[in-house]
Amino acid sequence: MLKVFHHPFSAASRFVRLVAAEYGIQTEYVVERPWDRRREFLLMNPAGTLPVMSENGGPPICGAAPIMEYIDETRGYAMADRRLMPNHAEVRAEVRRLVEWFLIKFEGEVTGYLVNEKIYKLEMPREAGGGAPDSAVLRAARANVRHHLKYVGYLAGTRDWLAGPKLTFADLAAAATLSCADYLGEVAWDDDEQARHWYSRIKSRPSFRPILADRILAIPPAPHYADLDF
Amino acid sequence: MLKVFHHPFSAASRFVRLVAAEYGIQTEYVVERPWDRRREFLLMNPAGTLPVMSENGGPPICGAAPIMEYIDETRGYAMADRRLMPNHAEVRAEVRRLVEWFLIKFEGEVTGYLVNEKIYKLEMPREAGGGAPDSAVLRAARANVRHHLKYVGYLAGTRDWLAGPKLTFADLAAAATLSCADYLGEVAWDDDEQARHWYSRIKSRPSFRPILADRILAIPPAPHYADLDF
């Protein structure tokens, strides 16, 4: 049994939820608000970031990439053809490059800004940085998201799935990150037909259902957010 | 035969040089200046970041963590007792957490700023961002480095090596990052005896010698930089 500390709008947490669902792992989820800087949470992960996981009360496993590797090392082989990590070392490297691209680079240039300004700041007390969104930050994120969407479209158009002919962790990382921006209506799907087609395929997977059901009361999702035929 | 595109003061590149030396892999090194945005380099790694590696003319493997995993997957088993990745999934997760801590968090809060302001800006043309160091940025980096040094001291004091009883990739990642700051005289070793003791052990390894010989003409290293008994 896995226990995962997450936030519904943390892209890296969504990635782990998708991975656990694809691998069919029974998981208990606990919502953590990192800005509370809860002592027990910081003892598990001194970086104070999400997600954090533990298995059967074992030591904490911190961060999306270490969790991905752990789950694949302990369950990947048994998944046979549904394994999300390819067999060849070179293709594995490409999957890892793209997971880092979406969960660190895209997150740092787009989703992290959008979610912080439009969601987290609503939930945070003022002394932790809460308040109104900064429009300059939103503008920067909106400029960056276009380049990333084009890159997703390029990969999807040349490779079927993002890292090659099969679904891998790279697709889940990209979809996790894009889904946060999409909830906020910040992805111009009309700009890239290949990216839209790829996203509609991954969005239709059963593993995606809980993510499409996520809601923040104060901010309803973009109208097409949970629509499989957007 | 590996070919690695690197910069002598990129911490993530130093990490890969240390790994290749510890595993005894014959490697050709090519200096890349990422701010040149060389077309052939961007075709290998669209993120435009270092390091990038390829084996025998094969596809590019981008980023320190994917390179570490690739080298360990292809050579780790043969290293037996000198393998830098532990056997247990949970301990591997801890190694990966720390590699990410030093190459992404520490780099983003300390070394990236120091190297950019004090070294890269000297080498860059003005239109690529070159010029005098920004003293506000240096002040932020100097405030952050103290916390990180304390954390290194805490880990070294409770675990012998940073991730446990044996040398792992985590130690090489930490030492690679710290060595860049140390060249610039920005590590107050007197503040933490445990951290100093750990660093003097890792600095004495033969794999470290080429890094201690790195020089930038315009900026000589701190007097103790290559001193094994600092």
Side-chain angles (χ1 to χ4, degrees):
Chain A
M1 172 81 153
L2 301 183
K3 184 170 180 175
V4 172
F5 294 84
H6 81 122
H7 187 283
F9 288 87
S10 137
S13 301
R14 286 188 168 200
F15 169 67
V16 169
R17 290 162 67 198
L18 289 171
V19 170
E22 289 285 341
Y23 276 26
I25 310 168
Q26 212 198 338
T27 307
E28 178 194 350
Y29 290 101
V30 180
V31 172
E32 181 74 35
R33 304 177 344 147
W35 55 87
D36 288 343
R37 301 192 63 75
R38 198 166 58 85
R39 191 181 140 76
E40 293 74 16
F41 180 65
L42 291 175
L43 286 173
M44 285 193 295
N45 184 10
T49 51
L50 290 171
V52 172
M53 185 187 94
S54 78
E55 174 145 30
N56 301 323
I61 295 171
C62 304
I67 292 174
M68 164 186 91
E69 302 284 355
Y70 177 90
I71 289 182
D72 194 69
E73 284 173 355
T74 53
R75 276 96 169 163
Y77 191 72
M79 295 302 293
D81 205 40
R82 288 169 48 226
R83 186 172 188 178
L84 294 166
M85 187 64 105
N87 288 325
H88 283 76
E90 283 165 356
V91 195
R92 295 161 76 88
E94 178 65 355
V95 168
R96 291 181 176 118
R97 176 182 79 85
L98 289 171
V99 168
E100 190 171 314
W101 182 289
F102 289 106
L103 296 186
I104 297 181
K105 186 176 168 65
F106 187 125
E107 172 75 6
E109 292 170 3
V110 180
T111 318
Y113 288 139
L114 295 175
V115 169
N116 193 56
E117 295 301 320
K118 295 177 87 170
I119 297 183
Y120 289 174
K121 276 176 141 186
L122 275 182
E123 295 193 20
M124 284 178 190
R126 191 160 284 275
E127 63 276 16
D134 181 330
S135 59
V137 172
L138 291 177
R139 264 199 306 281
R142 284 170 184 152
N144 293 336
V145 72
R146 297 185 172 267
H147 300 288
H148 281 284
L149 189 67
K150 214 169 143 183
Y151 190 48
V152 170
Y154 162 76
L155 293 172
T158 47
R159 292 176 167 181
D160 200 8
W161 294 98
L162 298 190
K166 285 180 61 186
L167 178 82
T168 68
F169 289 117
D171 298 282
L172 301 187
T177 312
L178 276 162
S179 70
C180 292
D182 193 41
Y183 183 95
L184 297 168
E186 298 281 4
V187 186
W189 295 109
D190 286 346
D191 286 0
D192 200 298
E193 208 42 56
Q194 307 269 26
R196 182 210 294 269
H197 180 62
W198 162 83
Y199 190 60
S200 80
R201 279 187 293 151
I202 200 159
K203 197 176 169 178
S204 308
R205 299 181 72 83
S207 65
F208 229 80
R209 271 179 221 144
I211 281 170
L212 298 180
D214 281 334
R215 293 289 179 277
I216 290 275
L217 276 184
I219 306 185
H224 64 271
Y225 175 67
D227 185 354
L228 297 184
D229 191 26
F230 59 106
Chain B
M1 172 80 153
L2 300 184
K3 183 171 181 175
V4 172
F5 294 84
H6 81 122
H7 187 283
F9 288 87
S10 138
S13 302
R14 285 188 169 199
F15 170 68
V16 169
R17 289 162 67 198
L18 289 170
V19 170
E22 288 285 341
Y23 275 26
I25 309 168
Q26 211 199 338
T27 307
E28 177 194 350
Y29 290 102
V30 180
V31 173
E32 182 74 35
R33 306 177 341 149
W35 56 86
D36 288 343
R37 302 192 63 74
R38 197 166 58 85
R39 188 181 143 75
E40 292 74 15
F41 180 64
L42 292 174
L43 285 172
M44 286 194 293
N45 184 10
T49 51
L50 291 171
V52 172
M53 186 187 93
S54 76
E55 174 146 30
N56 299 324
I61 294 171
C62 305
I67 292 173
M68 163 187 90
E69 302 285 355
Y70 176 90
I71 289 181
D72 194 68
E73 284 172 355
T74 53
R75 275 96 169 164
Y77 191 73
M79 295 302 294
D81 206 40
R82 289 171 47 226
R83 186 172 187 177
L84 294 166
M85 187 64 104
N87 288 326
H88 283 75
E90 283 165 356
V91 196
R92 295 160 77 86
E94 178 64 355
V95 169
R96 291 181 176 118
R97 176 182 80 85
L98 290 171
V99 169
E100 191 171 314
W101 181 290
F102 289 106
L103 296 186
I104 296 182
K105 186 174 167 66
F106 187 125
E107 172 75 8
E109 292 170 3
V110 179
T111 318
Y113 288 138
L114 295 175
V115 169
N116 193 55
E117 296 301 320
K118 294 177 87 169
I119 298 182
Y120 289 175
K121 275 175 141 186
L122 275 182
E123 295 193 20
M124 284 178 190
R126 190 159 283 276
E127 61 276 18
D134 180 331
S135 59
V137 172
L138 291 178
R139 265 199 306 280
R142 283 168 185 153
N144 293 336
V145 72
R146 297 185 173 267
H147 300 287
H148 281 284
L149 189 67
K150 215 169 142 183
Y151 190 48
V152 170
Y154 162 76
L155 292 172
T158 47
R159 294 177 166 180
D160 200 9
W161 295 98
L162 299 191
K166 286 180 59 186
L167 179 82
T168 68
F169 289 118
D171 298 282
L172 301 187
T177 312
L178 276 162
S179 70
C180 292
D182 193 41
Y183 183 95
L184 297 167
E186 298 281 4
V187 185
W189 295 110
D190 286 345
D191 286 0
D192 199 297
E193 208 42 56
Q194 306 269 27
R196 183 210 293 268
H197 181 61
W198 161 83
Y199 190 60
S200 81
R201 280 187 292 151
I202 199 158
K203 197 174 168 180
S204 308
R205 300 180 71 83
S207 64
F208 229 80
R209 270 180 223 145
I211 281 171
L212 297 179
D214 282 334
R215 292 289 179 278
I216 290 275
L217 276 183
I219 307 186
H224 64 271
Y225 175 67
D227 185 355
L228 296 184
D229 192 25
F230 58 106

